[in-house]
Amino acid sequence: MIKVLLVDDQQILAEGIKSVLQTSSELSVVGIASDGLRAVDACMQLKPDVVLMDIRMPNMNGVVATKRIKEIDDNIKIIVLTTFDDSDYILSAINNGASGYLLKDIGATALIDAIKNAYNGDTILPAKIAKKITDAAAMVTNDKEYKLKKAFNLSEREVEIALMLYDGFTNRQIASALKLTDGTSRNYISSIYLKLGVDGRAAAVEKIRSLS
């Protein structure tokens, strides 16, 4: 049984989502929190497997709450509920450990499947959101892109992935956002490390930062 915590300041919406999830014999809603602060407390007490996290809430928003919860227990999977207009929050939430995003107009079956998939370690990214992430990762100065190409002879795709690494994307999130297999993503990253002359992510990030 997958234990789910709902976090939303709109009680009617939260109760509606609870009703939907209760139609699945594989899910159990263990609680509802009305803001980020209560969500953090609930995670410590209820130990959910998956948190369905709203973004815009009083007291503590979903991005900050995601960071706090992942610091408490990195095994908890957090799916952020968002609208298309919330795209500014996407990279921040990813950097804070979110497993993905759901748009609030998602259907019942898709919602249940997304929670199961997140529990199993998948990254949940609707097409619109994946495009926003890709676009956001590409919105860096032309100067930094130019320096990466000139100094290290990176290809266009390698530059794109190097900048996503710099922004804190995991290998799985890079693969999902760019529609690559996990193996292809790893190959690109290995090639980037080789060209940068580093042996890991932290060193790569530091090398890219030094170009600023």
mmCIF file of all heavy atoms in Angstrom, residues 43-94:
data_model
loop_
_atom_site.group_PDB
_atom_site.id
_atom_site.type_symbol
_atom_site.label_atom_id
_atom_site.label_comp_id
_atom_site.label_asym_id
_atom_site.label_seq_id
_atom_site.Cartn_x
_atom_site.Cartn_y
_atom_site.Cartn_z
ATOM 1 N N CYS A 43 4.783 14.975 7.572
ATOM 2 C CA CYS A 43 5.745 13.993 7.046
ATOM 3 C C CYS A 43 6.546 13.347 8.177
ATOM 4 O O CYS A 43 6.859 12.152 8.121
ATOM 5 C CB CYS A 43 6.676 14.659 6.041
ATOM 6 S SG CYS A 43 5.929 14.894 4.420
ATOM 7 N N MET A 44 6.866 14.113 9.187
ATOM 8 C CA MET A 44 7.609 13.561 10.321
ATOM 9 C C MET A 44 6.756 12.572 11.108
ATOM 10 O O MET A 44 7.241 11.567 11.605
ATOM 11 C CB MET A 44 8.103 14.691 11.222
ATOM 12 C CG MET A 44 9.229 15.510 10.604
ATOM 13 S SD MET A 44 10.027 16.663 11.756
ATOM 14 C CE MET A 44 8.731 17.890 11.954
ATOM 15 N N GLN A 45 5.464 12.851 11.187
ATOM 16 C CA GLN A 45 4.578 12.004 11.995
ATOM 17 C C GLN A 45 4.016 10.813 11.218
ATOM 18 O O GLN A 45 3.937 9.705 11.740
ATOM 19 C CB GLN A 45 3.421 12.849 12.540
ATOM 20 C CG GLN A 45 3.851 13.951 13.495
ATOM 21 C CD GLN A 45 2.710 14.884 13.851
ATOM 22 O OE1 GLN A 45 1.543 14.560 13.670
ATOM 23 N NE2 GLN A 45 3.045 16.061 14.359
ATOM 24 N N LEU A 46 3.623 11.052 9.958
ATOM 25 C CA LEU A 46 2.885 10.041 9.207
ATOM 26 C C LEU A 46 3.759 9.196 8.286
ATOM 27 O O LEU A 46 3.326 8.150 7.816
ATOM 28 C CB LEU A 46 1.784 10.720 8.376
ATOM 29 C CG LEU A 46 0.761 11.533 9.183
ATOM 30 C CD1 LEU A 46 -0.170 12.291 8.233
ATOM 31 C CD2 LEU A 46 -0.038 10.627 10.110
ATOM 32 N N LYS A 47 4.978 9.671 7.991
ATOM 33 C CA LYS A 47 5.910 8.932 7.133
ATOM 34 C C LYS A 47 5.275 8.485 5.819
ATOM 35 O O LYS A 47 5.247 7.289 5.485
ATOM 36 C CB LYS A 47 6.458 7.702 7.874
ATOM 37 C CG LYS A 47 7.060 7.987 9.232
ATOM 38 C CD LYS A 47 8.321 8.803 9.123
ATOM 39 C CE LYS A 47 8.995 8.989 10.475
ATOM 40 N NZ LYS A 47 10.171 9.874 10.422
ATOM 41 N N PRO A 48 4.754 9.417 5.013
ATOM 42 C CA PRO A 48 4.142 9.025 3.738
ATOM 43 C C PRO A 48 5.201 8.566 2.734
ATOM 44 O O PRO A 48 6.382 8.882 2.871
ATOM 45 C CB PRO A 48 3.477 10.319 3.259
ATOM 46 C CG PRO A 48 4.336 11.401 3.840
ATOM 47 C CD PRO A 48 4.760 10.883 5.199
ATOM 48 N N ASP A 49 4.755 7.816 1.736
ATOM 49 C CA ASP A 49 5.645 7.415 0.644
ATOM 50 C C ASP A 49 5.691 8.486 -0.438
ATOM 51 O O ASP A 49 6.739 8.735 -1.034
ATOM 52 C CB ASP A 49 5.155 6.099 0.019
ATOM 53 C CG ASP A 49 5.141 4.965 1.014
ATOM 54 O OD1 ASP A 49 6.199 4.719 1.634
ATOM 55 O OD2 ASP A 49 4.083 4.341 1.185
ATOM 56 N N VAL A 50 4.524 9.102 -0.703
ATOM 57 C CA VAL A 50 4.409 10.111 -1.750
ATOM 58 C C VAL A 50 3.634 11.309 -1.204
ATOM 59 O O VAL A 50 2.625 11.143 -0.511
ATOM 60 C CB VAL A 50 3.675 9.560 -2.995
ATOM 61 C CG1 VAL A 50 3.522 10.651 -4.055
ATOM 62 C CG2 VAL A 50 4.418 8.360 -3.569
ATOM 63 N N VAL A 51 4.120 12.510 -1.513
ATOM 64 C CA VAL A 51 3.418 13.738 -1.139
ATOM 65 C C VAL A 51 2.956 14.429 -2.409
ATOM 66 O O VAL A 51 3.734 14.634 -3.345
ATOM 67 C CB VAL A 51 4.337 14.692 -0.345
ATOM 68 C CG1 VAL A 51 3.607 16.012 -0.044
ATOM 69 C CG2 VAL A 51 4.802 14.037 0.944
ATOM 70 N N LEU A 52 1.681 14.773 -2.454
ATOM 71 C CA LEU A 52 1.123 15.543 -3.559
ATOM 72 C C LEU A 52 1.073 16.992 -3.083
ATOM 73 O O LEU A 52 0.261 17.351 -2.229
ATOM 74 C CB LEU A 52 -0.270 15.019 -3.901
ATOM 75 C CG LEU A 52 -0.780 15.183 -5.330
ATOM 76 C CD1 LEU A 52 0.190 14.590 -6.334
ATOM 77 C CD2 LEU A 52 -2.150 14.528 -5.479
ATOM 78 N N MET A 53 1.980 17.827 -3.610
ATOM 79 C CA MET A 53 2.269 19.142 -3.023
ATOM 80 C C MET A 53 1.784 20.297 -3.895
ATOM 81 O O MET A 53 2.212 20.439 -5.044
ATOM 82 C CB MET A 53 3.789 19.262 -2.830
ATOM 83 C CG MET A 53 4.264 20.590 -2.273
ATOM 84 S SD MET A 53 3.987 20.729 -0.500
ATOM 85 C CE MET A 53 5.278 19.617 0.111
ATOM 86 N N ASP A 54 0.899 21.118 -3.334
ATOM 87 C CA ASP A 54 0.502 22.346 -4.017
ATOM 88 C C ASP A 54 1.676 23.325 -3.972
ATOM 89 O O ASP A 54 2.576 23.205 -3.143
ATOM 90 C CB ASP A 54 -0.723 22.945 -3.322
ATOM 91 C CG ASP A 54 -1.366 24.066 -4.127
ATOM 92 O OD1 ASP A 54 -1.055 24.204 -5.325
ATOM 93 O OD2 ASP A 54 -2.178 24.807 -3.555
ATOM 94 N N ILE A 55 1.675 24.305 -4.868
ATOM 95 C CA ILE A 55 2.757 25.291 -4.913
ATOM 96 C C ILE A 55 2.444 26.526 -4.077
ATOM 97 O O ILE A 55 3.180 26.889 -3.164
ATOM 98 C CB ILE A 55 3.038 25.716 -6.380
ATOM 99 C CG1 ILE A 55 3.852 24.650 -7.101
ATOM 100 C CG2 ILE A 55 3.799 27.030 -6.427
ATOM 101 C CD1 ILE A 55 5.339 24.697 -6.830
ATOM 102 N N ARG A 56 1.342 27.166 -4.389
ATOM 103 C CA ARG A 56 1.027 28.455 -3.766
ATOM 104 C C ARG A 56 0.135 28.247 -2.550
ATOM 105 O O ARG A 56 -1.057 27.957 -2.682
ATOM 106 C CB ARG A 56 0.356 29.371 -4.784
ATOM 107 C CG ARG A 56 1.269 29.680 -5.967
ATOM 108 C CD ARG A 56 0.612 30.601 -6.961
ATOM 109 N NE ARG A 56 1.505 30.894 -8.076
ATOM 110 C CZ ARG A 56 1.183 31.670 -9.089
ATOM 111 N NH1 ARG A 56 0.005 32.239 -9.141
ATOM 112 N NH2 ARG A 56 2.048 31.898 -10.068
ATOM 113 N N MET A 57 0.738 28.405 -1.371
ATOM 114 C CA MET A 57 0.024 28.212 -0.109
ATOM 115 C C MET A 57 0.502 29.244 0.904
ATOM 116 O O MET A 57 1.613 29.755 0.803
ATOM 117 C CB MET A 57 0.266 26.803 0.436
ATOM 118 C CG MET A 57 -0.219 25.678 -0.443
ATOM 119 S SD MET A 57 0.176 24.056 0.255
ATOM 120 C CE MET A 57 1.971 24.046 0.094
ATOM 121 N N PRO A 58 -0.326 29.554 1.908
ATOM 122 C CA PRO A 58 0.113 30.475 2.961
ATOM 123 C C PRO A 58 1.166 29.827 3.861
ATOM 124 O O PRO A 58 1.327 28.606 3.860
ATOM 125 C CB PRO A 58 -1.181 30.751 3.734
ATOM 126 C CG PRO A 58 -2.034 29.542 3.487
ATOM 127 C CD PRO A 58 -1.710 29.091 2.097
ATOM 128 N N ASN A 59 1.852 30.656 4.622
ATOM 129 C CA ASN A 59 2.838 30.239 5.644
ATOM 130 C C ASN A 59 4.128 29.664 5.054
ATOM 131 O O ASN A 59 5.219 30.079 5.409
ATOM 132 C CB ASN A 59 2.235 29.243 6.631
ATOM 133 C CG ASN A 59 1.056 29.815 7.376
ATOM 134 O OD1 ASN A 59 1.068 30.991 7.745
ATOM 135 N ND2 ASN A 59 0.019 29.013 7.591
ATOM 136 N N MET A 60 4.014 28.685 4.172
ATOM 137 C CA MET A 60 5.195 28.129 3.497
ATOM 138 C C MET A 60 4.749 27.550 2.163
ATOM 139 O O MET A 60 3.842 26.722 2.126
ATOM 140 C CB MET A 60 5.859 27.032 4.344
ATOM 141 C CG MET A 60 7.113 26.434 3.706
ATOM 142 S SD MET A 60 7.772 25.019 4.644
ATOM 143 C CE MET A 60 8.359 25.852 6.121
ATOM 144 N N ASN A 61 5.377 28.004 1.069
ATOM 145 C CA ASN A 61 4.955 27.489 -0.233
ATOM 146 C C ASN A 61 5.503 26.083 -0.495
ATOM 147 O O ASN A 61 6.307 25.552 0.267
ATOM 148 C CB ASN A 61 5.325 28.458 -1.367
ATOM 149 C CG ASN A 61 6.823 28.564 -1.599
ATOM 150 O OD1 ASN A 61 7.570 27.591 -1.477
ATOM 151 N ND2 ASN A 61 7.290 29.743 -1.949
ATOM 152 N N GLY A 62 5.048 25.501 -1.591
ATOM 153 C CA GLY A 62 5.401 24.116 -1.886
ATOM 154 C C GLY A 62 6.859 23.891 -2.206
ATOM 155 O O GLY A 62 7.398 22.808 -1.937
ATOM 156 N N VAL A 63 7.520 24.897 -2.764
ATOM 157 C CA VAL A 63 8.943 24.751 -3.098
ATOM 158 C C VAL A 63 9.778 24.630 -1.825
ATOM 159 O O VAL A 63 10.625 23.741 -1.695
ATOM 160 C CB VAL A 63 9.427 25.943 -3.954
ATOM 161 C CG1 VAL A 63 10.939 25.877 -4.151
ATOM 162 C CG2 VAL A 63 8.721 25.952 -5.303
ATOM 163 N N VAL A 64 9.543 25.521 -0.873
ATOM 164 C CA VAL A 64 10.291 25.495 0.382
ATOM 165 C C VAL A 64 9.959 24.228 1.172
ATOM 166 O O VAL A 64 10.844 23.578 1.737
ATOM 167 C CB VAL A 64 9.985 26.745 1.231
ATOM 168 C CG1 VAL A 64 10.711 26.677 2.573
ATOM 169 C CG2 VAL A 64 10.385 28.010 0.487
ATOM 170 N N ALA A 65 8.670 23.871 1.187
ATOM 171 C CA ALA A 65 8.258 22.663 1.910
ATOM 172 C C ALA A 65 8.915 21.422 1.325
ATOM 173 O O ALA A 65 9.322 20.511 2.052
ATOM 174 C CB ALA A 65 6.740 22.526 1.869
ATOM 175 N N THR A 66 9.034 21.380 -0.003
ATOM 176 C CA THR A 66 9.702 20.251 -0.660
ATOM 177 C C THR A 66 11.141 20.120 -0.161
ATOM 178 O O THR A 66 11.603 19.019 0.167
ATOM 179 C CB THR A 66 9.682 20.437 -2.194
ATOM 180 O OG1 THR A 66 8.332 20.370 -2.659
ATOM 181 C CG2 THR A 66 10.510 19.366 -2.891
ATOM 182 N N LYS A 67 11.845 21.235 -0.099
ATOM 183 C CA LYS A 67 13.233 21.223 0.373
ATOM 184 C C LYS A 67 13.317 20.699 1.805
ATOM 185 O O LYS A 67 14.159 19.855 2.128
ATOM 186 C CB LYS A 67 13.825 22.620 0.282
ATOM 187 C CG LYS A 67 15.299 22.729 0.681
ATOM 188 C CD LYS A 67 15.818 24.132 0.408
ATOM 189 C CE LYS A 67 17.335 24.221 0.605
ATOM 190 N NZ LYS A 67 17.738 24.028 2.002
ATOM 191 N N ARG A 68 12.439 21.186 2.672
ATOM 192 C CA ARG A 68 12.463 20.776 4.083
ATOM 193 C C ARG A 68 12.179 19.280 4.221
ATOM 194 O O ARG A 68 12.829 18.585 5.003
ATOM 195 C CB ARG A 68 11.420 21.578 4.869
ATOM 196 C CG ARG A 68 11.669 23.078 4.908
ATOM 197 C CD ARG A 68 12.666 23.479 5.969
ATOM 198 N NE ARG A 68 12.895 24.913 5.967
ATOM 199 C CZ ARG A 68 12.143 25.793 6.616
ATOM 200 N NH1 ARG A 68 11.109 25.385 7.325
ATOM 201 N NH2 ARG A 68 12.432 27.085 6.568
ATOM 202 N N ILE A 69 11.191 18.816 3.485
ATOM 203 C CA ILE A 69 10.806 17.409 3.594
ATOM 204 C C ILE A 69 11.921 16.496 3.090
ATOM 205 O O ILE A 69 12.237 15.473 3.718
ATOM 206 C CB ILE A 69 9.501 17.146 2.810
ATOM 207 C CG1 ILE A 69 8.328 17.829 3.518
ATOM 208 C CG2 ILE A 69 9.233 15.643 2.675
ATOM 209 C CD1 ILE A 69 7.061 17.896 2.689
ATOM 210 N N LYS A 70 12.553 16.863 1.985
ATOM 211 C CA LYS A 70 13.637 16.033 1.444
ATOM 212 C C LYS A 70 14.836 16.025 2.383
ATOM 213 O O LYS A 70 15.586 15.048 2.425
ATOM 214 C CB LYS A 70 14.042 16.522 0.054
ATOM 215 C CG LYS A 70 12.951 16.390 -0.999
ATOM 216 C CD LYS A 70 12.528 14.946 -1.240
ATOM 217 C CE LYS A 70 13.540 14.180 -2.057
ATOM 218 N NZ LYS A 70 13.069 12.831 -2.429
ATOM 219 N N GLU A 71 15.034 17.108 3.138
ATOM 220 C CA GLU A 71 16.108 17.134 4.130
ATOM 221 C C GLU A 71 15.804 16.179 5.281
ATOM 222 O O GLU A 71 16.706 15.565 5.853
ATOM 223 C CB GLU A 71 16.290 18.557 4.665
ATOM 224 C CG GLU A 71 16.948 19.506 3.662
ATOM 225 C CD GLU A 71 16.935 20.955 4.116
ATOM 226 O OE1 GLU A 71 16.229 21.269 5.106
ATOM 227 O OE2 GLU A 71 17.623 21.776 3.492
ATOM 228 N N ILE A 72 14.523 16.038 5.609
ATOM 229 C CA ILE A 72 14.107 15.149 6.689
ATOM 230 C C ILE A 72 14.192 13.691 6.256
ATOM 231 O O ILE A 72 14.698 12.827 6.976
ATOM 232 C CB ILE A 72 12.662 15.477 7.129
ATOM 233 C CG1 ILE A 72 12.612 16.865 7.782
ATOM 234 C CG2 ILE A 72 12.131 14.418 8.096
ATOM 235 C CD1 ILE A 72 11.207 17.384 7.967
ATOM 236 N N ASP A 73 13.673 13.409 5.053
ATOM 237 C CA ASP A 73 13.659 12.026 4.551
ATOM 238 C C ASP A 73 13.714 12.055 3.027
ATOM 239 O O ASP A 73 12.705 12.302 2.369
ATOM 240 C CB ASP A 73 12.397 11.300 5.030
ATOM 241 C CG ASP A 73 12.407 9.816 4.663
ATOM 242 O OD1 ASP A 73 13.284 9.393 3.877
ATOM 243 O OD2 ASP A 73 11.538 9.070 5.168
ATOM 244 N N ASP A 74 14.874 11.777 2.489
ATOM 245 C CA ASP A 74 15.071 11.848 1.038
ATOM 246 C C ASP A 74 14.303 10.766 0.293
ATOM 247 O O ASP A 74 14.138 10.839 -0.927
ATOM 248 C CB ASP A 74 16.569 11.750 0.717
ATOM 249 C CG ASP A 74 16.864 12.055 -0.741
ATOM 250 O OD1 ASP A 74 16.345 13.077 -1.239
ATOM 251 O OD2 ASP A 74 17.594 11.286 -1.380
ATOM 252 N N ASN A 75 13.810 9.747 1.003
ATOM 253 C CA ASN A 75 13.076 8.658 0.357
ATOM 254 C C ASN A 75 11.642 9.043 0.013
ATOM 255 O O ASN A 75 10.992 8.361 -0.780
ATOM 256 C CB ASN A 75 13.066 7.412 1.244
ATOM 257 C CG ASN A 75 14.451 6.793 1.378
ATOM 258 O OD1 ASN A 75 15.181 6.708 0.395
ATOM 259 N ND2 ASN A 75 14.812 6.384 2.580
ATOM 260 N N ILE A 76 11.127 10.102 0.629
ATOM 261 C CA ILE A 76 9.764 10.542 0.332
ATOM 262 C C ILE A 76 9.728 11.153 -1.060
ATOM 263 O O ILE A 76 10.524 12.025 -1.388
ATOM 264 C CB ILE A 76 9.280 11.573 1.372
ATOM 265 C CG1 ILE A 76 9.192 10.933 2.767
ATOM 266 C CG2 ILE A 76 7.915 12.145 0.975
ATOM 267 C CD1 ILE A 76 8.833 11.909 3.874
ATOM 268 N N LYS A 77 8.823 10.677 -1.886
ATOM 269 C CA LYS A 77 8.663 11.209 -3.240
ATOM 270 C C LYS A 77 7.660 12.362 -3.200
ATOM 271 O O LYS A 77 6.590 12.229 -2.599
ATOM 272 C CB LYS A 77 8.165 10.130 -4.200
ATOM 273 C CG LYS A 77 8.968 8.839 -4.174
ATOM 274 C CD LYS A 77 10.400 9.059 -4.618
ATOM 275 C CE LYS A 77 11.151 7.718 -4.680
ATOM 276 N NZ LYS A 77 12.572 7.892 -5.024
ATOM 277 N N ILE A 78 8.010 13.454 -3.847
ATOM 278 C CA ILE A 78 7.136 14.632 -3.841
ATOM 279 C C ILE A 78 6.772 15.003 -5.270
ATOM 280 O O ILE A 78 7.649 15.229 -6.110
ATOM 281 C CB ILE A 78 7.813 15.820 -3.137
ATOM 282 C CG1 ILE A 78 8.159 15.449 -1.697
ATOM 283 C CG2 ILE A 78 6.906 17.052 -3.175
ATOM 284 C CD1 ILE A 78 8.937 16.515 -0.949
ATOM 285 N N ILE A 79 5.482 15.044 -5.534
ATOM 286 C CA ILE A 79 4.979 15.492 -6.833
ATOM 287 C C ILE A 79 4.338 16.857 -6.622
ATOM 288 O O ILE A 79 3.451 17.010 -5.783
ATOM 289 C CB ILE A 79 3.942 14.527 -7.414
ATOM 290 C CG1 ILE A 79 4.498 13.101 -7.505
ATOM 291 C CG2 ILE A 79 3.487 15.000 -8.793
ATOM 292 C CD1 ILE A 79 3.462 12.078 -7.928
ATOM 293 N N VAL A 80 4.777 17.829 -7.369
ATOM 294 C CA VAL A 80 4.248 19.183 -7.230
ATOM 295 C C VAL A 80 3.036 19.360 -8.130
ATOM 296 O O VAL A 80 3.070 19.046 -9.317
ATOM 297 C CB VAL A 80 5.333 20.228 -7.584
ATOM 298 C CG1 VAL A 80 4.740 21.631 -7.611
ATOM 299 C CG2 VAL A 80 6.473 20.157 -6.580
ATOM 300 N N LEU A 81 1.949 19.863 -7.547
ATOM 301 C CA LEU A 81 0.758 20.218 -8.312
ATOM 302 C C LEU A 81 0.930 21.641 -8.820
ATOM 303 O O LEU A 81 1.217 22.543 -8.035
ATOM 304 C CB LEU A 81 -0.482 20.157 -7.420
ATOM 305 C CG LEU A 81 -1.200 18.825 -7.272
ATOM 306 C CD1 LEU A 81 -2.343 18.967 -6.286
ATOM 307 C CD2 LEU A 81 -1.728 18.334 -8.602
ATOM 308 N N THR A 82 0.748 21.854 -10.094
ATOM 309 C CA THR A 82 1.012 23.170 -10.631
ATOM 310 C C THR A 82 0.019 23.528 -11.725
ATOM 311 O O THR A 82 -0.710 22.672 -12.222
ATOM 312 C CB THR A 82 2.450 23.248 -11.202
ATOM 313 O OG1 THR A 82 2.727 24.575 -11.632
ATOM 314 C CG2 THR A 82 2.631 22.302 -12.366
ATOM 315 N N THR A 83 -0.036 24.802 -12.068
ATOM 316 C CA THR A 83 -0.749 25.251 -13.250
ATOM 317 C C THR A 83 0.315 25.712 -14.236
ATOM 318 O O THR A 83 1.472 25.893 -13.875
ATOM 319 C CB THR A 83 -1.687 26.426 -12.936
ATOM 320 O OG1 THR A 83 -0.910 27.544 -12.514
ATOM 321 C CG2 THR A 83 -2.675 26.049 -11.841
ATOM 322 N N PHE A 84 -0.069 25.920 -15.481
ATOM 323 C CA PHE A 84 0.910 26.329 -16.485
ATOM 324 C C PHE A 84 1.580 27.640 -16.110
ATOM 325 O O PHE A 84 2.725 27.879 -16.430
ATOM 326 C CB PHE A 84 0.218 26.449 -17.845
ATOM 327 C CG PHE A 84 1.160 26.492 -19.009
ATOM 328 C CD1 PHE A 84 2.093 25.477 -19.216
ATOM 329 C CD2 PHE A 84 1.127 27.530 -19.914
ATOM 330 C CE1 PHE A 84 2.960 25.499 -20.292
ATOM 331 C CE2 PHE A 84 1.993 27.568 -20.994
ATOM 332 C CZ PHE A 84 2.908 26.558 -21.183
ATOM 333 N N ASP A 85 0.858 28.503 -15.397
ATOM 334 C CA ASP A 85 1.397 29.812 -15.016
ATOM 335 C C ASP A 85 2.446 29.725 -13.910
ATOM 336 O O ASP A 85 3.094 30.713 -13.591
ATOM 337 C CB ASP A 85 0.274 30.749 -14.562
ATOM 338 C CG ASP A 85 -0.628 31.154 -15.716
ATOM 339 O OD1 ASP A 85 -0.170 31.119 -16.877
ATOM 340 O OD2 ASP A 85 -1.789 31.488 -15.453
ATOM 341 N N ASP A 86 2.592 28.563 -13.300
ATOM 342 C CA ASP A 86 3.543 28.407 -12.200
ATOM 343 C C ASP A 86 4.933 28.001 -12.678
ATOM 344 O O ASP A 86 5.765 27.551 -11.892
ATOM 345 C CB ASP A 86 3.046 27.343 -11.206
ATOM 346 C CG ASP A 86 1.924 27.862 -10.333
ATOM 347 O OD1 ASP A 86 1.953 29.069 -10.027
ATOM 348 O OD2 ASP A 86 1.039 27.084 -9.972
ATOM 349 N N SER A 87 5.222 28.167 -13.954
ATOM 350 C CA SER A 87 6.462 27.640 -14.519
ATOM 351 C C SER A 87 7.713 28.237 -13.879
ATOM 352 O O SER A 87 8.770 27.607 -13.893
ATOM 353 C CB SER A 87 6.498 27.876 -16.037
ATOM 354 O OG SER A 87 6.343 29.253 -16.327
ATOM 355 N N ASP A 88 7.615 29.428 -13.300
ATOM 356 C CA ASP A 88 8.779 30.033 -12.651
ATOM 357 C C ASP A 88 9.282 29.200 -11.483
ATOM 358 O O ASP A 88 10.435 29.282 -11.085
ATOM 359 C CB ASP A 88 8.444 31.441 -12.153
ATOM 360 C CG ASP A 88 8.301 32.441 -13.290
ATOM 361 O OD1 ASP A 88 8.713 32.105 -14.411
ATOM 362 O OD2 ASP A 88 7.780 33.537 -13.051
ATOM 363 N N TYR A 89 8.393 28.391 -10.899
ATOM 364 C CA TYR A 89 8.770 27.591 -9.740
ATOM 365 C C TYR A 89 9.434 26.264 -10.108
ATOM 366 O O TYR A 89 9.967 25.570 -9.250
ATOM 367 C CB TYR A 89 7.526 27.256 -8.898
ATOM 368 C CG TYR A 89 6.898 28.440 -8.212
ATOM 369 C CD1 TYR A 89 5.781 29.064 -8.753
ATOM 370 C CD2 TYR A 89 7.400 28.918 -6.999
ATOM 371 C CE1 TYR A 89 5.181 30.145 -8.114
ATOM 372 C CE2 TYR A 89 6.806 29.986 -6.361
ATOM 373 C CZ TYR A 89 5.698 30.598 -6.922
ATOM 374 O OH TYR A 89 5.109 31.658 -6.294
ATOM 375 N N ILE A 90 9.384 25.897 -11.375
ATOM 376 C CA ILE A 90 9.749 24.541 -11.769
ATOM 377 C C ILE A 90 11.192 24.185 -11.415
ATOM 378 O O ILE A 90 11.456 23.177 -10.746
ATOM 379 C CB ILE A 90 9.507 24.332 -13.278
ATOM 380 C CG1 ILE A 90 8.007 24.354 -13.557
ATOM 381 C CG2 ILE A 90 10.107 23.022 -13.755
ATOM 382 C CD1 ILE A 90 7.670 24.322 -15.027
ATOM 383 N N LEU A 91 12.142 24.999 -11.862
ATOM 384 C CA LEU A 91 13.542 24.676 -11.602
ATOM 385 C C LEU A 91 13.855 24.681 -10.115
ATOM 386 O O LEU A 91 14.618 23.845 -9.630
ATOM 387 C CB LEU A 91 14.455 25.665 -12.340
ATOM 388 C CG LEU A 91 14.656 25.391 -13.830
ATOM 389 C CD1 LEU A 91 15.518 26.479 -14.446
ATOM 390 C CD2 LEU A 91 15.296 24.036 -14.053
ATOM 391 N N SER A 92 13.261 25.609 -9.375
ATOM 392 C CA SER A 92 13.502 25.667 -7.933
ATOM 393 C C SER A 92 13.032 24.386 -7.255
ATOM 394 O O SER A 92 13.728 23.829 -6.402
ATOM 395 C CB SER A 92 12.777 26.872 -7.315
ATOM 396 O OG SER A 92 13.322 28.077 -7.780
ATOM 397 N N ALA A 93 11.864 23.919 -7.630
ATOM 398 C CA ALA A 93 11.342 22.697 -7.013
ATOM 399 C C ALA A 93 12.176 21.483 -7.391
ATOM 400 O O ALA A 93 12.429 20.604 -6.568
ATOM 401 C CB ALA A 93 9.883 22.490 -7.413
ATOM 402 N N ILE A 94 12.627 21.404 -8.645
ATOM 403 C CA ILE A 94 13.501 20.299 -9.069
ATOM 404 C C ILE A 94 14.782 20.311 -8.239
ATOM 405 O O ILE A 94 15.240 19.282 -7.744
ATOM 406 C CB ILE A 94 13.841 20.418 -10.565
ATOM 407 C CG1 ILE A 94 12.717 19.823 -11.394
ATOM 408 C CG2 ILE A 94 15.144 19.699 -10.886
ATOM 409 C CD1 ILE A 94 13.058 19.714 -12.858
#
